[in-house]
């Protein structure tokens, strides 16, 4: 009896979680995969929709607007992650010292990540405002020409990138600072005794030792960059033209404005596959690093 | 590093520190200032810092929840007050649900060996990255046509709980692993059943982890827009949805909108100042144990 109860215990602990995940997450994802093969609009029940096979997918790759938005998404993710990694890691290397006020900086740095993306979009839209915004006012008071922050395609993309950099550089800063401070002191001491300069220390000791954390951080950030939606929705709603219409926004518009649920599902599916690949990459990278660490440890023990 | 740096007090570093703090707080401060301004002050060319602060914008947004009549509001629009109540209910209930269910699941995954364990933990890992945009179409379809819970708070609570569960399970695992198993064995010896062991011994020990998980969950449920927009009707709208709805192409009432934005931002700001350490621990655990 007791043995029986014991064997059931883990399942009892798991049951509520599995129930909710099955009903509200796994079922919807499966539903979406099925819907991506249908010609379906919001006024129909799904059973009434016509099965169209792979048509939604083939249409996607000849749809200029979709390809444009895919390009915008990839460009956005690449630019944002690169800039944030360089800035975040750079600042962490620079500020890795005992300064009074570091705690304040770390606390304050979390703020942009914690407040609603909607609000972040709102703040930046206000600052970018052509007449009342602080940026153009400052430019004007310095006697410079105002910049069409959100109304010109090229500038709008830059503006959106700036807002994201403001919001997420702190994330990378905090993680790389934590990584830096947990590096083994002995390696640094040894290098310094051997006469390494500050730059050599950074490039040959610190960065290589931090690399595992940095790679995971970059991947996490990349995954998030593909999910960005609200900030851009509030700032530009994808415009002007399609210059800032990232994939998540395109999906939402296809579903609600163009009312083509099957087509939107096909796009969602592609986005999901993209994110899945990145997540798996992160997972296996972690596994490989664990295995390598275990092997090194085993070798070290053998040597003793 | 620090020990080797007697010259750490270099003023340039402090200048950089102050500049960074200023840059990250500046936009938030600007929003706060604008929310206390009359529209004439917002539009005027004069300096942004000198103005006569007023709480009118907040009164306009919350007009139906105040205990006094607001005379400058001609027709009171109860949308925002209602949305605030909805947001509070949805975010709080879904956070509580997620935490209870999530830490039970995390405990099972850490402490028991059972059939299907690897499948479950692999599935939660994969489900972690499903973004709201991907769930938009299926959740709209299922909630409307099959479950019949579109336009209700329960519908929102269900999807937010499901969205947060994988992350919470996964982050709590790393905290539960650190609980010494001897404590649990001792409790078991004294005759506690697994549920008593869990609720009376393990839970109190992982409070910091629970705090971090609670904050991250609340943040997602409180801030989410896309699914809230697709599922909610007039009566169950949350704050982010009302804010986006009141954004029009031209003629935006910046004062009122900034006041509503500020109200939406206040809970996360409070959490940040109260529990920044837990938040940082949660974030770091996230990356290091990717």
């Amino acid at each position: 009896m007791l043995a029986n109860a014991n064997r059931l215990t883990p399942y009892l602990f798991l049951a509520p979680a599995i129930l909710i995940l099955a009903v509200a997450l796994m079922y919807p994802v499966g539903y979406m995969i099925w819907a991506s093969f249908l010609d379906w609009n919001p006024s129909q029940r799904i059973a009434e929709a016509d099965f169209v096979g792979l048509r939604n997918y083939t249409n996607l790759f000849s749809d200029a607007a979709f390809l444009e938005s895919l390009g915008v998404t990839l460009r956005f993710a690449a630019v944002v992650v690169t800039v944030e990694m360089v800035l975040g890691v750079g600042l962490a290397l620079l500020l890795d010292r005992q300064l009074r006020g570091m705690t304040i900086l770390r606390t304050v740095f979390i703020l942009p990540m914690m407040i609603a993306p909607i609000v972040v979009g709102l703040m930046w839209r206000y600052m970018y405002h052509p007449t009342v915004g602080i940026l153009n006012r400052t430019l004007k008071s310095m006697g410079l020409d105002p910049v069409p922050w959100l109304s010109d395609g090229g500038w709008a993309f830059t503006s959106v990138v700036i807002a994201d950099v403001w919001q997420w550089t702190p994330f990378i800063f905090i993680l790389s600072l934590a990584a830096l401070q947990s590096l083994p002191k002995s390696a640094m001491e040894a290098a310094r005794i051997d006469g390494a300069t500050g730059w050599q220390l950074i490039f040959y000791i610190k960065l290589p030792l931090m690399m595992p954390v940095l790679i995971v951080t970059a991947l996490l950030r990349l995954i998030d960059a593909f999910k960005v939606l609200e900030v851009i929705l509030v700032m530009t709603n994808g415009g002007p033209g399609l210059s800032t219409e990232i994939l998540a926004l395109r999906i939402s518009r296809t579903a609600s404005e163009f009312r083509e649920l099957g087509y939107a599902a096909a796009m969602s599916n592609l986005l999901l596959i993209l994110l899945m690949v990145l997540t798996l990459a992160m997972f296996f990278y972690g596994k490989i690093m664990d295995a390598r660490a275990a092997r090194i440890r085993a070798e070290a023990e053998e040597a003793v | 590093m620090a020990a080797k740096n007697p010259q750490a007090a270099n003023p340039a570093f402090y200048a950089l520190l102050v500049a960074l703090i200023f840059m990250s707080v500046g936009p938030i401060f600007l929003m706060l200032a604008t929310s206390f301004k009359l529209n004439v002050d917002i539009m005027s060319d004069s300096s942004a810092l000198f103005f006569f602060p007023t709480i009118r914008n907040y009164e306009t947004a919350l007009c139906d929840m105040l205990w006094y009549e607001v005379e400058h509001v001609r027709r009171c629009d109860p949308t925002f007050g209602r949305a605030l109540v909805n947001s509070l209910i949805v975010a709080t209930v879904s956070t509580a649900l997620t935490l209870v269910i999530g830490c039970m699941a995390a405990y099972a995954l850490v402490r028991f060996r059972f059939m299907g364990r690897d499948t479950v933990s692999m599935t939660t890992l994969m489900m972690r990255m499903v973004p709201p945009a991907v769930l938009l179409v299926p959740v709209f379809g299922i909630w409307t046509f099959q479950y019949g819970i579109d336009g209700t708070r329960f519908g929102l609570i269900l999807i937010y709980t499901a969205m947060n569960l994988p992350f919470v399970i996964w982050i709590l695992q790393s905290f539960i692993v650190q609980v010494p198993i001897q404590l649990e064995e001792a409790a078991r010896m004294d005759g506690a059943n697994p549920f008593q062991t869990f609720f009376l011994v393990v839970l109190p020990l992982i409070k910091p982890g629970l705090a971090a998980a609670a904050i991250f969950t609340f943040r997602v449920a409180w801030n989410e827009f896309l699914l809230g927009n697709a599922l909610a009707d007039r009566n169950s709208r949350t704050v982010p949805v009302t804010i986006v709805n009141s954004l029009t192409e031209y003629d935006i009432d910046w004062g009122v909108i900034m006041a509503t934005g500020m109200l939406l931002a206040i809970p996360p700001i409070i959490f940040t100042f109260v529990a920044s350490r837990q938040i940082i621990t949660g974030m770091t655990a996230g990356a290091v144990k990717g």
Side-chain angles (χ1 to χ4, degrees):
Chain A
M1 188 60 211
L2 194 70
N4 206 358
N6 268 341
R7 211 171 328 132
L8 275 178
T9 314
Y11 297 105
L12 287 177
F13 272 101
L14 273 175
I18 290 186
L19 182 75
I20 290 206
L21 288 180
V23 165
L25 207 57
M26 274 138 75
Y27 177 52
V29 170
Y31 192 92
M32 177 202 72
I33 293 171
W34 168 239
S36 70
F37 300 111
L38 302 176
D39 180 10
W40 181 29
N41 74 58
S43 54
Q44 287 173 309
R45 290 176 157 275
I46 192 165
E48 295 160 4
D50 294 325
F51 185 82
V52 293
L54 286 172
R55 199 185 73 195
N56 286 328
Y57 291 94
T58 47
N59 283 356
L60 274 184
F61 289 101
S62 52
D63 178 352
F66 168 76
L67 293 177
E68 173 75 28
S69 125
L70 187 65
V72 170
T73 313
L74 294 175
R75 209 159 62 227
F76 176 78
V79 172
V80 153
V81 173
T82 316
V83 173
E84 287 167 11
M85 283 305 284
V86 171
L87 276 181
V89 176
L91 285 174
L93 288 169
L94 211 57
L95 290 172
D96 176 29
R97 53 193 74 220
Q98 303 275 299
L99 286 182
R100 222 178 288 162
M102 271 311 275
T103 0
I104 305 177
L105 178 68
R106 267 197 288 189
T107 308
V108 162
F109 250 26
I110 312 174
L111 278 177
M113 294 179 256
M114 296 300 288
I115 57 180
I118 291 285
V119 176
V120 172
L122 209 56
M123 287 181 327
W124 283 92
R125 179 157 167 186
Y126 179 63
M127 291 196 288
Y128 285 138
H129 193 281
T131 52
V132 303
I134 189 162
L135 296 173
N136 271 358
R137 279 197 175 167
T138 314
L139 287 178
K140 211 169 110 190
S141 67
M142 293 192 305
L144 298 168
D145 281 335
V147 169
W149 294 104
L150 297 176
S151 47
D152 171 84
W155 274 107
F157 186 78
T158 317
S159 308
V160 167
V161 167
I162 293 176
D164 195 84
V165 167
W166 175 80
Q167 197 186 2
W168 288 104
T169 304
F171 176 74
I172 292 169
F173 171 78
I174 286 172
L175 291 187
S176 20
L177 194 63
L180 259 179
Q181 289 173 343
S182 64
L183 290 186
K185 296 271 179 292
S186 52
M188 243 87 81
E189 290 297 322
R192 218 175 284 121
I193 290 168
D194 289 346
T197 64
W199 287 108
Q200 285 172 329
L201 210 59
I202 288 175
F203 281 108
Y204 296 116
I205 313 282
K206 288 182 184 171
L207 282 182
L209 282 176
M210 285 163 76
M211 209 34 96
V213 178
L214 292 187
I215 288 178
V216 172
T217 312
L219 280 170
L220 274 177
R221 203 41 224 123
L222 198 60
I223 292 174
D224 279 347
F226 283 112
K227 297 189 196 172
V228 172
L229 170 88
E230 283 105 331
V231 179
I232 298 184
L233 176 93
V234 171
M235 277 170 59
T236 64
N237 199 9
L242 294 177
S243 56
T244 55
E245 184 156 292
I246 45 146
L247 210 48
L249 208 52
R250 181 91 205 151
I251 293 172
S252 136
R253 284 186 65 192
T254 311
S256 55
E257 276 175 42
F258 315 141
R259 300 170 66 82
E260 296 177 57
L261 295 185
Y263 200 50
M267 280 182 210
S268 314
N269 225 346
L270 287 182
L271 180 60
L272 194 64
I273 291 170
L274 197 72
L275 292 172
M276 195 98 77
V277 169
L278 286 173
T279 310
L280 282 178
M282 198 168 79
F283 178 71
F284 285 115
Y285 181 76
K287 284 268 170 226
I288 292 170
M289 290 323 275
D290 282 352
R292 216 184 69 167
R295 207 183 58 226
I296 293 172
R297 218 177 303 129
E299 276 167 12
E301 271 165 25
E302 244 167 63
V304 172
Chain B
M1 194 67 196
K4 282 280 289 176
N5 258 320
Q7 81 278 28
N10 190 338
F13 288 114
Y14 283 100
L16 178 66
L17 205 66
V18 172
L20 288 175
I21 292 177
F22 178 76
M23 264 172 10
S24 58
V25 187
I28 302 171
F29 180 77
L30 198 66
M31 174 169 75
L32 183 68
T34 311
S35 73
F36 286 113
K37 279 184 190 177
L38 292 175
N39 275 341
V40 279
D41 285 325
I42 295 173
M43 295 303 168
S44 80
D45 263 336
S46 59
S47 165
L49 280 177
F50 299 102
F51 60 94
F52 192 72
T54 165
I55 57 164
R56 270 194 178 200
N57 297 319
Y58 289 91
E59 287 178 327
T60 312
L62 297 171
C63 58
D64 66 319
M65 300 176 80
L66 297 172
W67 58 94
Y68 56 89
E69 286 287 312
V70 185
E71 69 257 16
H72 66 85
V73 180
R74 259 170 293 142
R75 225 190 75 245
C76 179
D77 181 7
T79 323
F80 184 79
R82 204 163 46 201
L84 199 59
V85 174
N86 284 331
S87 268
L88 278 172
I89 294 176
V90 168
T92 323
V93 174
S94 75
T95 306
L97 268 179
T98 315
L99 279 191
V100 174
I101 297 172
C103 62
M104 280 167 60
Y107 182 68
L109 288 174
V110 173
R111 282 293 188 250
F112 295 95
R113 302 267 165 268
F114 57 92
M115 241 179 66
R117 181 171 169 272
D118 291 337
T119 325
V120 174
S121 72
M122 192 66 199
T123 317
T124 43
L125 180 87
M126 297 309 295
M127 287 292 157
R128 236 182 85 202
M129 49 69 200
V130 177
V134 168
L135 290 171
L136 178 67
V137 173
V139 165
F140 171 79
I142 296 172
W143 265 232
T144 312
F145 295 122
Q146 298 185 347
Y147 298 166
I149 49 172
D150 58 311
T152 63
R153 289 178 195 143
F154 173 71
L156 288 178
I157 291 171
L158 180 65
I159 184 61
Y160 291 158
T161 307
M163 261 169 45
N164 279 313
L165 260 180
F167 175 75
V168 165
I169 292 176
W170 166 84
I171 197 140
L172 286 179
Q173 277 181 325
S174 63
F175 283 91
I176 293 176
V177 170
Q178 294 167 11
V179 175
I181 197 154
Q182 289 84 350
L183 282 179
E184 288 163 60
E185 284 163 355
R188 209 68 73 79
M189 296 287 245
D190 290 343
N193 68 37
F195 284 90
Q196 286 171 322
T197 318
F198 172 68
F199 282 105
L200 302 176
V201 178
V202 178
L203 271 197
L205 287 172
I206 55 165
K207 269 188 199 146
L210 287 175
I215 290 172
F216 284 111
T217 314
F218 186 89
R219 165 178 157 258
V220 172
W222 178 256
N223 293 346
E224 207 281 331
F225 159 75
L226 192 61
L227 294 168
N229 187 40
L231 291 178
D233 64 9
R234 269 184 74 241
N235 292 314
S236 56
R237 255 180 220 152
T238 53
V239 176
V241 180
T242 54
I243 290 183
V244 173
N245 283 347
S246 58
L247 271 177
T248 44
E249 199 68 33
Y250 306 100
D251 194 30
I252 295 176
D253 192 345
W254 282 110
V256 175
I257 249 189
M258 287 311 205
T260 55
M262 211 51 222
L263 288 170
L264 184 65
I266 283 172
I269 292 179
I270 293 176
F271 288 145
T272 308
F273 282 106
V274 172
S276 62
R277 183 175 311 205
Q278 279 83 350
I279 297 174
I280 292 174
T281 316
M283 264 184 331
T284 327
V288 177
K289 268 214 74 204

